[in-house]
Amino acid sequence: MGGGQLRQFQEGGRQRDVQLNLVDPGTYVKWDKVDPAELFSQGPTEKKEANPKVNMEKFLQVCGPSQGTGVPGAVEGRGRDYIVLWLDCDKEGKNICFKSRDETPCPFLPMEALSKGASQSVLDLLNNVEMESAKTAITPPGLAVDKALALEIFTEKANRNPTMVKNFLTYCLQMPEEDRLRLLCYILDTDFSESLIPLCIYMINLAEHQLRDKDVGASTAMPCIHVDLPAPQKLLARLLVLLASPYKFKGQGIAILKLLWILSQSIAPSMADVWELEIPLLIQYLAGHTKFSWSQNTWEDKLVRFLESSLKKTQGLNWSMWLSKELSHQLDSFHSPTPEKAFLYRALGVSLATGLDADKVEVLLLELLDRTDFSNFVDREGVVLACGLCAQGQVLTVLRVFREIEKRIQESQPSWQISIWQRDQSRWREGLQAVLMEVYGCVASYCHPQMLRSLVESPIATQIVQHYSSSCQDFSLKLAFLKSVIQLASALQRVENMEDFQFGLKGTVTGIIMVCVDMTAEVLSVALASDRGSRSQDLVQNMGPVVIKVADQGQGLKEILQAEPAERLGSTLRTMALYALIHLSKLKPFYSVEEKDALMDIGLHSLISIVPPEEENDSIKKLYTDAMRTLAQLMENLMHWEQYPMMLQGMVQLLEKWILSEKDWEREKALNLCLGVMQTYVRSVGVCNPLKLEHFGTLAGLIAPCTCDPHERIRVASIDVLSSLLDLHACQTSSLAGTSKKEELLVCKEDLGSGNSERIFGASARISKLVCVAFSCEEMVSLTRKLCKNMGARDLQHDKASVTWIDTFLQMRVKELEDKVAEILSTILDRLRRVDHPEVRRHLIEGILLLAHHHQDAVLTLLLMQPLPMESYLTEVWLAVLEDMRFARTILHALVGRLQCPFSTHTNAMSKTDICRPVTVDPLMLVCTIHLLMKKMDQDDSLTDLLPEVVYTLLLQFGSSPWLEAVSPDQKMWHLVYSGAVPRDINLQRAVIKCIKSLLLRVKREGLMTSLEEQDTWRRLLENSTSFLEGIALLTRLCLTNMGSHHRQQLSQLVLKGMDSDVLTCRMISTAMCVELMRSPILQQGKLLKPALLLLESGVDYEDEVLRVFSVRALGNMAHGAPKKVRKYRKRLLKKFVCCLREPSSIYVASEGMASLTKILPELREWDLGSTFDTISRQCRTFFDSENELLRQNAFVLFGKLAGVVRITKRHLFKREVKKAWVPLMLHCLDPCACTAKACMETISHCLRFRGFSGLEMVHGQSSACMEDGTFFLWTTCELLTQTKPAAIYDLFLETIHYVESSSSLVRIAACKLTGIILDRMPVRYLQKLDFLELRNKFQELQLDEADGMLSAALNTLGILEECSQHGLSAHQE
């Protein structure tokens, strides 16, 4: 159960070890047989030797004066007066002590019984040790034991019984000088530092004794003695090292300092003056502190300065080299880590720096490196520090030593003096490379500034990079590299007059650090390939092959991954890397903005994701705190050295990812860093380099949602950032911050610190009002854009805070946003498309409606510019409009006005929006929106008052885009946004019809709907680009039939307004509708006839053929709608119609003109026509032989109407016209177009009276069959002419035969047929006048005509001709 060791010492040096155990009796030996509870009871125990063969108990029993019992081993203990026990100071040792006292007969004497005889015995023991040491080269083990025994007695008595020590020292003073010095030297040579305290006391008493003997008076100064001490450097080295722990034993430091003060003349007389001044100050420091209040570093610094001052007094002597050797020898006396050994390295470096012999310094350095274990971190750090301190006076020597070492490393020669090559070569090689890097950094740190400038790049920086790139780059090497870089950069900053210095290896060193900090080489490559990756193409080139090598060697990165995972902090690696970047950023050439972004990006990625350590883990917590402080310092330092607003903006952009993180600790750290950057910017830049105004809004928009964060610290940090931002804004814009604003922010901060959700959101809203008052509209727009952009990046609470700020801004500043509406609304719509939560969507929609109330045109324009088909978020916005019915009707009126806008004249446009509106608004989107609103509008609300305007506006859309065969812009947009086939409804014409149907159903016009279906109106509208105008006219006719007088009047006004438009399609559609309005009396009733007449006259003169046709038709319909007004406006009407007849290029205009003349002639009298009668009649005859059927038909009808108008005045004139037109009229009775032939026959019937054929008129009127068949009509006519006027039939033949040679195939065929009919009915006497041979030849030639029907007509006529020829020949013979 427990034990200790008992050791017995003999003069012969033999020893015996024993271990004593406390065990349980046999009953409790087997653990599985005993109840565990019994083991804790007060059961019996036995003490037994662990090794019974030692027989220690019997050995102790025979120890005593001349007592021996014959027991084996008694010989060893016989005749001894004392037994000395060396025991551990614990319970086991105490147990052995009492056991030995019980078993041995030797008395145990108290230490106070030690007398002069005992002291003399100690001295005799020392004499014997020296004599034995002189006899043998190797000290027997017993000598070390005796020396230890003497020192133990001496030290024990010094600590426990000062009186006895004083008596002992008094006795020593009576000894000869030789014995006293021998005792002193012997004690100083031991490893037991406790003996120094009584030694110092002895020396002090010795000095006092000498003074009393010489009757020297008292003095305030410490007396000095002159003794010939061997190796004063050894004594000084020993005492200095022990001074490193002045409180290790009570009074140790002060005693040693007093001893040095006493021995100053003996150790180094040249230092006595310095010691006279310095040592009292050191004593004063120690006396004023305790081991709990003193500072190890401060004390060591004082000792180093004391040593430096002392060594300066020995210049010209070799004193410092001897001291260096002694200090170097002292290194083996202490184990690492101890304060004494750490100070030894410092003292060694200082003493070497003051050495005058560079060769000896080099030798000592090589010896130091030879026996140093570089795997021991403390020893390695000590060697580095010693070399660095040595560089204060021997920089070239230090560099030469390490260049030699590097050369041997490269050559891999194990023959050189460093013993590491006798061990694991690769492991120790890496350790030595780490030392070399640290040495170069330390050398740069302690080197003289003027020397550093010439040595910094070569060899110092070059060798640091070289050693790192040629190593395995494990964790310890990374730390060594970073430490050396920090020391090098810090040293360069301390050098004066370095304005023109450019650190050439800055890019290479930075590249290595970036790889060290970054988690993998792949992350670095991805970062370089990103948007900010262009920042470092130059940087990568500057990194050179070092970075490539680091990236290729995955082993080092794997180790760093294992040692430094991203989620926690296990070492100071990342902190040191960032600290190194801080110092490098201060050196020229300075980093560019892109490079700074890259450094910041990697720094943030390396630290900000780390989970904060737990409260009880103090070490990791300190690492974490230091790392975050260093990161903040790096950001502030970069800001300090690049005082540009874009740098602030870039840093905030880098932090944005973390501010929007889902992890609370990342958000908190990002906000704290942002606050630090903001405060640094305010302090360093101020108003001298102002931030752009839109950047204020962007920054505020990023931070604003954090005011409602679930975590209190984040909310408080966010308001601190906003407060700092407002202060910067006030400073930059020269506006007053105001006490009330600051007080309000404090109140808001207090509310944000509470856990009440309502108070938090209320405080956030109040903060938004303060920001809104301070910021301009441009800044608030950028704030809104940022809020919408980040919406959805986190949780619901974040989004609610965002919409709260947006609502506050719109409510306060909506009237000032005339030029910013489009930008704000686009941002809100883009975010509305992606937000899912109903409450957030509702807030955004309310913001849109608020904008629409104050900036209706701009909001509608942007809403209507969205692509089709209408997405759900847009439908939701339109449906929200319907919640306010008055506002919904306003919006509907505006939408209808937008549809009319492209067809209206913009001569009075007042703004750029009005001018661009027809181009930017999609009519299909307008129609779909109107349809949606009408469909979803409340059934109680009536749209009857909107019927004329909506119908007219919708009909205008038939001419606003290409027809069905063309691909509309909406269809093109469909293919850009969606995949798959275009829906059938994605067409403007179909959407218009669908909207009209919905409207008619909405206003309960079922009868009109039925009429439209029965008349096949929809098909006409959709059939083609020609028939849709006829369909529009038909729809207008039916609407006028089913509308009230008020609606008809309203529609008339709209149509007349459209006829006055500059847009051709609008005029065409309005004129097509006016055709039906002119047919009804509504225009006359509404006193709109004259304006309509003027507009139609201008339409007749327009260059577009379709518009002219409908204008002429509308003018002709005046005979139906206002017949009594025809005579009033006859001159204007006749003028326009006659102009149409004279139009040679447009047969449709001429045809419509004749049709319109036909309509108005019944309302006129002969004298009303005036001189136009002759023109009309002549122009009609010119169209008789036209190739166009409609033109021929209208010409014949008009000619017949003229015949009905003629009375007395124009009878003679018209008679001539009829005579000229008689043959063409007869010919076209055989027209292939039945309508034309019928019209021709009716015209002939009206004109017979002008030819004197009144009897024919009576016959034609009585025979209906005659008017149905043109051939029969001609046979009848010729038969009657033969009977009544035979000469007329011969004249008709002579005129008809000339038409056989007409250029028109229809005329030739008709002339051929009419010739046969005339020949068949011609009297014989007139047949004899004909030249049948010539006629036969002519008709035979017609057989060769390729026109359809000519061959049969010619053969038929030839047959009749042969019959007539024979009949005429027989009559002639008779």
Side-chain angles (χ1 to χ4, degrees):
M1 296 179 64
Q5 287 189 350
L6 176 65
R7 180 173 295 168
Q8 180 264 338
F9 296 96
Q10 273 192 356
E11 185 175 323
R14 288 173 295 175
Q15 64 184 22
R16 185 175 295 183
D17 297 335
V18 66
Q19 187 171 6
L20 191 65
N21 292 339
L22 184 65
V23 301
D24 295 321
T27 308
Y28 303 98
V29 171
K30 296 183 179 181
W31 296 86
D32 56 345
K33 299 292 181 70
V34 182
D35 185 1
E38 296 183 13
L39 296 176
F40 296 93
S41 62
Q42 298 180 355
T45 57
E46 298 180 0
K47 296 180 181 179
K48 293 183 178 180
E49 293 185 53
N51 186 5
K53 295 181 180 181
V54 177
N55 293 323
M56 188 51 110
E57 183 177 348
K58 295 180 179 181
F59 171 78
L60 292 173
Q61 291 176 354
V62 300
C63 286
S66 303
Q67 292 182 2
T69 60
V71 181
V75 145
E76 299 177 3
R78 185 179 298 116
R80 299 304 180 194
D81 297 325
Y82 299 100
I83 296 178
V84 179
L85 302 178
W86 294 84
L87 303 174
D88 295 335
C89 186
D90 53 13
K91 291 184 178 181
E92 290 87 352
K94 183 178 180 181
N95 187 33
I96 294 173
C97 179
F98 284 100
K99 180 66 176 177
S100 302
R101 187 182 64 179
D102 296 339
E103 297 296 337
T104 183
C106 297
F108 276 71
L109 300 179
M111 290 298 294
E112 288 76 5
L114 189 61
S115 60
K116 292 184 179 180
S119 302
Q120 184 61 43
S121 299
V122 172
L123 293 179
D124 295 340
L125 177 61
L126 294 178
N127 292 329
N128 295 333
V129 169
E130 287 186 351
M131 288 187 294
E132 293 295 333
S133 301
K135 294 178 181 178
T136 58
I138 301 177
T139 303
L143 297 180
V145 172
D146 294 333
K147 181 173 68 174
L149 173 61
L151 294 178
E152 178 67 17
I153 295 174
F154 198 84
T155 304
E156 182 72 15
K157 296 310 300 177
N159 291 334
R160 296 190 178 184
N161 196 337
T163 305
M164 189 258 178
V165 172
K166 183 177 181 181
N167 296 333
F168 176 75
L169 291 176
T170 303
Y171 169 75
C172 291
L173 291 176
Q174 299 174 3
M175 294 189 302
E177 185 72 17
E178 181 181 356
D179 292 337
R180 291 199 302 268
L181 294 177
R182 185 163 53 87
L183 178 62
L184 175 62
C185 295
Y186 187 81
I187 294 176
L188 286 176
D189 196 35
T190 183
D191 294 335
F192 292 89
S193 58
E194 296 90 339
S195 61
L196 290 178
I197 299 176
L199 172 64
C200 295
I201 296 174
Y202 163 71
M203 296 303 297
I204 294 171
N205 289 324
L206 177 62
E208 292 176 351
H209 179 73
Q210 290 179 347
L211 289 174
R212 283 197 303 270
D213 291 343
K214 296 181 180 180
D215 296 327
V216 178
S219 175
T220 56
M222 179 66 68
C224 298
I225 60 175
H226 298 272
V227 295
D228 297 329
L229 295 176
Q233 293 84 1
K234 180 178 180 180
L235 178 60
L236 179 60
R238 174 68 175 173
L239 296 179
L240 282 175
V241 172
L242 294 174
L243 277 174
S245 298
Y247 297 103
K248 187 174 183 180
F249 299 100
K250 185 177 181 181
Q252 174 175 307
I254 296 178
I256 294 174
L257 287 172
K258 289 182 178 180
L259 179 60
L260 283 176
W261 197 352
I262 291 173
L263 300 178
S264 60
Q265 293 295 336
S266 299
I267 294 176
S270 59
M271 303 179 187
D273 296 338
V274 175
W275 289 11
E276 189 73 23
L277 298 175
E278 297 286 343
I279 290 179
L281 297 177
L282 296 176
I283 293 174
Q284 182 181 359
Y285 176 82
L286 293 179
H289 293 82
T290 65
K291 64 179 180 180
F292 304 105
S293 64
W294 78 303
S295 171
Q296 178 75 36
N297 294 332
T298 304
W299 174 247
E300 288 187 3
D301 293 339
K302 290 180 177 292
L303 288 181
V304 168
R305 288 195 295 270
F306 170 72
L307 179 60
E308 290 177 345
S309 302
S310 301
L311 293 177
K312 288 180 181 179
K313 295 295 184 177
T314 62
Q315 291 183 353
L317 303 176
N318 209 18
W319 217 92
S320 60
M321 294 307 303
W322 284 103
L323 180 61
S324 299
K325 290 180 181 181
E326 294 300 333
L327 290 171
S328 180
H329 294 159
Q330 290 286 337
L331 288 172
D332 298 332
S333 302
F334 298 92
H335 299 286
S336 299
T338 56
E340 292 87 351
K341 192 163 187 178
F343 178 74
L344 264 175
Y345 284 112
R346 292 191 64 178
L348 178 60
V350 171
S351 62
L352 287 174
T354 57
L356 301 179
D357 193 341
D359 295 336
K360 292 182 179 180
V361 173
E362 182 176 351
V363 172
L364 287 176
L365 287 175
L366 288 173
E367 291 178 356
L368 177 64
L369 295 172
D370 176 51
R371 64 172 183 270
T372 300
D373 182 6
F374 293 105
S375 63
N376 188 309
F377 177 77
V378 177
D379 290 340
R380 188 173 72 184
E381 291 295 314
V383 169
V384 170
L385 180 59
C387 293
L389 292 171
C390 180
Q392 289 179 330
Q394 297 286 345
V395 60
L396 297 179
T397 303
V398 175
L399 293 177
R400 185 168 62 251
V401 168
F402 282 94
R403 285 300 297 160
E404 180 65 24
I405 295 175
E406 290 164 354
K407 180 179 179 181
R408 295 178 181 178
I409 291 177
Q410 293 174 359
E411 296 174 354
S412 299
Q413 295 179 358
S415 59
W416 57 307
Q417 298 300 319
I418 299 181
S419 61
I420 62 173
W421 292 102
Q422 300 173 5
R423 311 173 190 177
D424 186 356
Q425 181 173 342
S426 61
R427 174 188 173 190
W428 290 95
R429 176 189 177 99
E430 300 298 336
L432 184 57
Q433 285 182 316
V435 171
L436 292 174
M437 286 188 287
E438 294 180 4
V439 164
Y440 280 114
C442 196
V443 166
S445 180
Y446 287 101
C447 179
H448 192 276
Q450 298 301 325
M451 295 289 293
L452 179 61
R453 181 163 185 170
S454 60
L455 300 173
V456 60
E457 291 194 0
S458 178
I460 296 177
T462 303
Q463 292 303 118
I464 292 174
V465 173
Q466 178 63 32
H467 283 299
Y468 182 79
S469 60
S470 62
S471 66
C472 68
Q473 296 148 9
D474 62 2
F475 189 71
S476 60
L477 286 166
K478 292 178 187 294
L479 291 176
F481 173 76
L482 293 174
K483 180 179 179 181
S484 62
V485 171
I486 293 172
Q487 291 176 328
L488 175 62
S490 302
L492 287 175
Q493 296 172 44
R494 294 193 297 266
V495 179
E496 298 179 356
N497 301 324
M498 293 285 284
E499 292 79 7
D500 58 339
F501 177 76
Q502 300 283 332
F503 186 34
L505 294 177
K506 182 176 179 179
T508 302
V509 174
T510 304
I512 297 175
I513 295 175
M514 290 173 68
V515 176
C516 290
V517 177
D518 216 348
M519 299 311 300
T520 59
E522 182 180 358
V523 175
L524 179 60
S525 63
V526 170
L528 293 175
S530 63
D531 293 338
R532 292 186 299 271
S534 58
R535 81 208 189 226
S536 283
Q537 291 301 330
D538 297 335
L539 188 60
V540 172
Q541 294 177 2
N542 291 334
M543 293 177 191
V546 177
V547 175
I548 298 176
K549 178 178 177 59
V550 173
D552 291 339
Q553 291 185 359
Q555 181 180 359
L557 291 175
K558 183 177 180 181
E559 292 178 0
I560 182 62
L561 277 171
Q562 295 174 351
E564 289 285 306
E567 66 276 5
R568 69 176 187 271
L569 195 65
S571 71
T572 60
L573 175 67
R574 280 174 270 192
T575 306
M576 291 180 64
L578 296 180
Y579 196 62
L581 292 176
I582 292 174
H583 288 286
L584 286 174
S585 64
K586 300 177 183 179
L587 302 179
K588 294 181 180 180
F590 296 127
Y591 293 124
S592 64
V593 176
E594 293 78 9
E595 290 171 342
K596 289 185 176 182
D597 287 342
L599 296 177
M600 285 309 311
D601 194 12
I602 291 180
L604 290 172
H605 277 82
S606 64
L607 287 180
I608 205 167
S609 298
I610 298 174
V611 181
E614 299 178 356
E615 295 294 335
E616 60 272 10
N617 196 337
D618 294 335
S619 60
I620 299 299
K621 186 176 180 181
K622 185 177 185 304
L623 281 177
Y624 174 80
T625 305
D626 293 342
M628 294 309 302
R629 186 186 301 112
T630 306
L631 179 59
Q633 185 179 354
L634 175 60
M635 297 184 70
E636 295 174 4
N637 189 74
L638 293 178
M639 178 67 67
H640 175 72
W641 289 99
E642 192 73 45
Q643 298 176 357
Y644 296 123
M646 61 181 300
M647 192 63 202
L648 174 62
Q649 188 72 7
M651 288 188 176
V652 176
Q653 288 177 357
L654 291 175
L655 290 170
E656 180 175 353
K657 171 186 175 182
W658 311 104
I659 294 176
L660 300 176
S661 173
E662 296 180 356
K663 301 175 181 178
D664 56 326
W665 65 84
E666 292 180 352
R667 298 197 302 273
E668 181 182 356
K669 285 185 281 189
L671 282 173
N672 290 330
L673 290 173
C674 184
L675 176 62
V677 169
M678 191 72 64
Q679 293 173 346
T680 302
Y681 184 83
V682 173
R683 290 194 305 268
S684 59
V685 179
V687 190
C688 301
N689 202 350
L691 189 67
K692 291 184 179 180
L693 293 181
E694 61 267 19
H695 290 171
F696 283 103
T698 302
L699 294 175
L702 176 62
I703 305 300
C706 297
T707 55
C708 297
D709 195 272
H711 298 274
E712 177 184 352
R713 292 196 300 271
I714 297 177
R715 297 194 298 269
V716 174
S718 66
I719 194 173
D720 289 338
V721 176
L722 290 174
S723 178
S724 178
L725 187 64
L726 287 174
D727 292 341
L728 177 61
H729 185 271
C731 180
Q732 185 168 312
T733 57
S734 300
S735 59
L736 297 177
T739 307
S740 59
K741 181 185 294 185
K742 294 182 178 180
E743 293 177 353
E744 180 66 19
L745 287 174
L746 291 176
V747 175
C748 292
K749 187 174 184 179
E750 182 179 354
D751 291 343
L752 291 179
S754 66
N756 191 311
S757 178
E758 294 183 1
R759 291 183 63 187
I760 291 173
F761 276 93
S764 181
R766 296 199 303 273
I767 297 171
S768 66
K769 292 180 181 179
L770 294 176
V771 173
C772 189
V773 171
F775 282 12
S776 64
C777 287
E778 291 79 3
E779 294 167 319
M780 294 306 299
V781 169
S782 61
L783 183 146
T784 304
R785 184 168 54 248
K786 195 65 176 180
L787 288 172
C788 290
K789 179 182 178 181
N790 293 337
M791 204 174 294
R794 277 187 38 215
D795 52 9
L796 176 61
Q797 201 161 351
H798 176 276
D799 294 346
K800 287 183 179 180
S802 298
V803 295
T804 300
W805 278 64
I806 293 174
D807 289 346
T808 303
F809 161 56
L810 293 178
Q811 291 171 5
M812 296 181 64
R813 307 291 289 275
V814 65
K815 295 181 180 180
E816 308 173 24
L817 301 176
E818 182 177 0
D819 298 332
K820 306 295 181 181
V821 174
E823 186 176 0
I824 295 175
L825 187 57
S826 299
T827 304
I828 296 177
L829 287 176
D830 182 68
R831 183 46 53 189
L832 183 62
R833 184 186 293 111
R834 297 172 174 84
V835 173
D836 297 328
H837 196 272
E839 185 176 353
V840 178
R841 294 176 65 87
R842 185 61 191 170
H843 278 283
L844 293 176
I845 292 174
E846 288 177 356
I848 295 174
L849 296 181
L850 182 61
L851 287 172
H853 275 87
H854 294 82
H855 307 282
Q856 178 178 296
D857 288 342
V859 173
L860 290 181
T861 300
L862 195 59
L863 290 177
L864 296 171
M865 288 176 62
Q866 305 304 312
L868 285 171
M870 192 179 297
E871 297 187 39
S872 59
Y873 76 93
L874 198 59
T875 304
E876 189 176 353
V877 173
W878 290 119
L879 293 179
V881 173
L882 295 176
E883 296 177 3
D884 184 354
M885 194 52 60
R886 176 180 294 181
F887 182 60
R889 291 178 63 84
T890 303
I891 292 297
L892 189 58
H893 277 288
L895 293 174
V896 174
R898 285 298 185 95
L899 277 176
Q900 297 174 357
C901 187
F903 307 103
S904 60
T905 304
H906 296 286
T907 55
N908 296 324
M910 301 300 294
S911 66
K912 184 178 179 181
T913 305
D914 295 332
I915 298 174
C916 299
R917 188 185 301 161
V919 180
T920 57
V921 175
D922 175 18
L924 179 57
M925 187 65 177
L926 275 166
V927 173
C928 293
T929 305
I930 293 174
H931 174 261
L932 176 65
L933 292 177
M934 290 190 302
K935 184 178 179 181
K936 298 295 183 179
M937 196 173 285
D938 261 348
Q939 294 296 326
D940 295 337
D941 185 73
S942 177
L943 292 174
T944 307
D945 56 338
L946 296 177
L947 179 62
E949 183 178 6
V950 175
V951 170
Y952 169 73
T953 305
L954 292 174
L955 290 177
L956 290 178
Q957 307 312 307
F958 279 95
S960 63
S961 65
W963 206 249
L964 300 178
E965 295 81 2
V967 179
S968 67
D970 310 298
Q971 293 171 320
K972 294 178 181 179
M973 178 62 72
W974 171 274
H975 288 299
L976 289 175
V977 181
Y978 305 98
S979 60
V982 180
R984 183 180 177 85
D985 291 339
I986 302 298
N987 176 276
L988 181 58
Q989 289 76 20
R990 297 184 185 278
V992 167
I993 292 175
K994 188 175 181 181
C995 190
I996 293 175
K997 288 181 179 180
S998 178
L999 176 62
L1000 295 179
L1001 291 175
R1002 183 70 180 76
V1003 297
K1004 300 179 182 180
R1005 293 293 192 274
E1006 291 82 1
L1008 178 58
M1009 281 289 297
T1010 304
S1011 300
L1012 291 171
E1013 295 289 346
E1014 291 175 352
Q1015 303 254 354
D1016 204 11
T1017 307
W1018 310 127
R1019 183 190 60 79
R1020 293 190 182 187
L1021 288 172
L1022 295 175
E1023 188 173 4
N1024 53 56
S1025 59
T1026 304
S1027 66
F1028 88 94
L1029 290 174
E1030 300 292 343
I1032 287 175
L1034 178 59
L1035 190 146
T1036 305
R1037 185 190 313 163
L1038 295 175
C1039 287
L1040 292 174
T1041 305
N1042 291 271
M1043 284 182 180
S1045 59
H1046 175 70
H1047 289 163
R1048 289 198 298 267
Q1049 192 71 22
Q1050 186 179 359
L1051 181 61
S1052 301
Q1053 294 174 355
L1054 292 171
V1055 169
L1056 293 182
K1057 183 179 178 181
M1059 292 171 62
D1060 193 29
S1061 173
D1062 294 335
V1063 182
L1064 177 60
T1065 56
C1066 180
R1067 295 187 65 177
M1068 289 172 56
I1069 294 174
S1070 299
T1071 304
M1073 298 178 71
C1074 187
V1075 170
E1076 299 302 325
L1077 291 175
M1078 292 292 288
R1079 188 187 293 274
S1080 66
I1082 186 172
L1083 292 178
Q1084 184 180 358
Q1085 294 172 359
K1087 299 181 181 181
L1088 298 175
L1089 183 60
K1090 186 175 182 180
L1093 184 63
L1094 295 173
L1095 292 172
L1096 291 172
E1097 287 178 350
S1098 64
V1100 173
D1101 296 333
Y1102 203 78
E1103 59 183 7
D1104 184 78
E1105 184 179 15
V1106 177
L1107 179 59
R1108 296 177 65 191
V1109 168
F1110 278 91
S1111 298
V1112 173
R1113 185 180 300 176
L1115 288 174
N1117 284 344
M1118 186 178 180
H1120 302 292
K1124 295 181 180 181
K1125 296 294 183 180
V1126 173
R1127 293 190 65 189
K1128 180 179 179 180
Y1129 298 110
R1130 64 184 183 277
K1131 292 183 180 180
R1132 301 168 69 171
L1133 294 175
L1134 290 174
K1135 180 180 178 180
K1136 294 300 177 183
F1137 294 154
V1138 170
C1139 289
C1140 294
L1141 297 180
R1142 292 174 178 174
E1143 181 65 44
S1145 60
S1146 177
I1147 58 177
Y1148 298 102
V1149 175
S1151 176
E1152 197 62 47
M1154 290 186 290
S1156 297
L1157 282 171
T1158 302
K1159 296 175 186 177
I1160 67 171
L1161 282 179
E1163 307 299 330
L1164 299 176
R1165 299 294 180 262
E1166 183 183 25
W1167 56 83
D1168 293 332
L1169 296 177
S1171 61
T1172 60
F1173 182 86
D1174 188 23
T1175 304
I1176 295 172
S1177 60
R1178 286 197 307 268
Q1179 288 299 121
C1180 281
R1181 287 192 299 106
T1182 59
F1183 298 124
F1184 286 171
D1185 295 332
S1186 174
E1187 294 290 339
N1188 186 272
E1189 296 177 357
L1190 183 61
L1191 192 60
R1192 297 196 306 270
Q1193 178 183 351
N1194 290 339
F1196 292 138
V1197 173
L1198 178 59
F1199 201 78
K1201 291 292 183 181
L1202 285 174
V1205 175
V1206 174
R1207 293 293 180 264
I1208 299 174
T1209 306
K1210 301 297 181 182
R1211 184 178 181 85
H1212 181 71
L1213 176 63
F1214 190 69
K1215 186 177 181 180
R1216 291 198 307 267
E1217 294 296 328
V1218 170
K1219 183 178 181 180
K1220 295 177 183 178
W1222 187 251
V1223 174
L1225 289 173
M1226 296 290 287
L1227 290 175
H1228 284 285
C1229 289
L1230 299 175
D1231 198 281
C1233 177
C1235 295
T1236 303
K1238 184 177 180 181
C1240 186
M1241 289 184 285
E1242 291 177 353
T1243 300
I1244 290 175
S1245 299
H1246 294 309
C1247 296
L1248 285 175
R1249 63 188 179 92
F1250 295 100
R1251 292 286 291 176
F1253 304 146
S1254 301
L1256 291 176
E1257 183 178 1
M1258 186 180 300
V1259 174
H1260 289 164
Q1262 295 175 354
S1263 177
S1264 59
C1266 180
M1267 301 300 293
E1268 297 295 335
D1269 187 1
T1271 304
F1272 181 73
F1273 177 85
L1274 292 177
W1275 277 100
T1276 304
T1277 302
C1278 291
E1279 182 68 24
L1280 291 175
L1281 287 176
T1282 302
Q1283 296 175 3
T1284 58
K1285 293 184 177 183
I1289 196 72
Y1290 181 72
D1291 295 336
L1292 181 61
F1293 173 78
L1294 294 178
E1295 293 180 12
T1296 303
I1297 197 66
H1298 294 292
Y1299 283 92
V1300 175
E1301 298 177 355
S1302 174
S1303 60
S1304 174
S1305 60
L1306 297 177
V1307 175
R1308 292 197 304 272
I1309 295 173
C1312 185
K1313 291 181 179 180
L1314 181 58
T1315 300
I1317 294 172
I1318 295 173
L1319 287 174
D1320 189 45
R1321 292 293 181 266
M1322 187 179 289
V1324 175
R1325 65 177 179 273
Y1326 291 107
L1327 291 175
Q1328 295 176 353
K1329 297 179 181 182
L1330 301 177
D1331 186 356
F1332 289 99
L1333 180 60
E1334 182 181 357
L1335 291 174
R1336 187 179 295 107
N1337 292 334
K1338 182 175 293 188
F1339 286 108
Q1340 287 177 352
E1341 291 179 357
L1342 288 176
Q1343 293 179 10
L1344 303 177
D1345 197 324
E1346 296 179 355
D1348 294 338
M1350 179 59 75
L1351 180 60
S1352 61
L1355 289 175
N1356 188 29
T1357 302
L1358 282 174
I1360 296 174
L1361 183 61
E1362 291 297 333
E1363 293 178 0
C1364 291
S1365 174
Q1366 293 177 3
H1367 184 68
L1369 180 61
S1370 62
H1372 178 70
Q1373 292 175 353
E1374 293 177 359

